[in-house]
């Protein structure tokens, strides 16, 4: 099972990749965290027990 944290991390990185090229490392990290936290809260609310992967 992929954890909610891993899924939120993957989504936040994907969103950040398109905008981070012009940012300095600290600014990019702040953007990542500011994207990650709302995504994680939403995923935790919608899927409190995680999301099972079908293999």
């Amino acid at each position: 099972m992929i954890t909610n944290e891993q899924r939120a991390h993957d989504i936040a990185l994907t969103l950040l990749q398109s905008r981070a090229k012009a940012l300095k490392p600290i600014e990019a990290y702040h953007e990542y965290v500011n994207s990650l936290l709302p995504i994680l809260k939403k995923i935790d609310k919608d899927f409190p027990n995680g999301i099972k992967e079908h293999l």
Side-chain angles (χ1 to χ4, degrees), residues 12-13 15-36:
L13 280 181
L15 292 173
L16 184 63
Q17 284 177 348
S18 64
R19 332 177 262 215
K21 292 179 180 150
L23 299 176
K24 294 180 181 177
I26 299 296
E27 293 170 335
Y29 177 74
H30 286 218
E31 282 289 319
Y32 164 76
V33 171
N34 288 333
S35 298
L36 176 69

Side-chain angles (χ1 to χ4, degrees), residues 2-11 40:
I2 295 177
T3 64
N4 289 349
E5 291 82 6
Q6 182 62 44
R7 191 165 305 271
H9 167 76
D10 292 344
I11 294 169
L40 182 56

